[in-house]
Amino acid sequence: MAKRLGKEWKNLEDEPDADDRFFPEIKNNDLEWVMKLLIGESESCCYAGGIYTVVLTFPSEYPFKPPVVKFTPAIYHPGISQETGEICADVLRDTWGPTRNVRWIMGVLYNMFLTEGADHAVEQEIMKQKEDDYEAFKAKVQAQIQSLME
């Protein structure tokens, strides 16, 4: 596992995402990485322009089990727990396999923001607000993006 993770980290550093959607920030240790996720300003979602911090904590069973994915701080999103910052476990677990990797995970997270949580929700109140009062939902997301930039 450590050898594979080492290769993945090196690959992310040597071959950055072609669309500049994410990049590795720091490796706290072999089993905990901090990544940055950038949602492009041109994207047609309320998260556009956001830069988010993602902590990946790898289990000893990696790559047979996915890492725990946590946003710090928790992002106002239906698929992210407001208490822990963790994403809905089903997002990765349902399609995870040993051929998946961190680059794939970051792509899934990017798409999770583009769909604004349409597929997986752990925060039902946020999903309800998005469905019932999209403008208020969008305003809260935009306020959070601004606070993260300060």
Side-chain angles (χ1 to χ4, degrees):
M1 172 207 32
K3 188 174 182 178
R4 169 155 170 180
L5 284 172
K7 285 182 180 181
E8 283 193 48
W9 181 266
K10 183 162 178 28
N11 178 271
L12 288 167
E13 287 185 320
D14 293 348
E15 297 176 34
D17 180 60
D19 298 321
D20 292 326
R21 300 172 301 167
F22 56 84
F23 62 90
E25 185 173 49
I26 190 167
K27 189 190 307 186
N28 291 335
N29 58 57
D30 288 341
L31 299 179
E32 186 176 273
W33 298 2
V34 178
M35 304 282 293
K36 287 291 187 181
L37 179 68
L38 294 75
I39 308 299
E41 301 247 352
S42 62
E43 296 293 357
S44 60
C45 68
C46 64
Y47 295 95
I51 301 172
Y52 306 102
T53 302
V54 182
V55 177
L56 303 175
T57 305
F58 298 92
S60 59
E61 300 89 358
Y62 184 84
F64 299 100
K65 288 189 178 178
V68 172
V69 177
K70 180 179 179 178
F71 283 86
T72 59
I75 305 304
Y76 194 75
H77 185 285
I80 299 172
S81 166
Q82 297 303 285
E83 187 175 318
T84 66
E86 291 181 17
I87 65 166
C88 174
D90 294 346
V91 170
L92 298 180
R93 186 178 54 218
D94 289 351
T95 54
W96 184 259
T99 60
R100 305 290 192 197
N101 57 28
V102 172
R103 193 175 296 273
W104 177 83
I105 291 168
M106 296 306 291
V108 167
L109 296 177
Y110 192 86
N111 287 329
M112 187 175 91
F113 280 92
L114 295 187
T115 63
E116 299 179 348
D119 297 334
H120 300 279
V122 293
E123 294 288 345
Q124 297 303 320
E125 287 185 27
I126 296 175
M127 182 60 89
K128 184 169 176 21
Q129 181 187 38
K130 179 187 164 220
E131 292 168 350
D132 295 348
D133 188 354
Y134 185 78
E135 289 306 313
F137 166 77
K138 183 178 176 180
K140 189 147 185 176
V141 169
Q142 293 296 306
Q144 186 177 43
I145 289 171
Q146 289 298 343
S147 72
L148 292 173
M149 300 296 213
E150 296 172 352

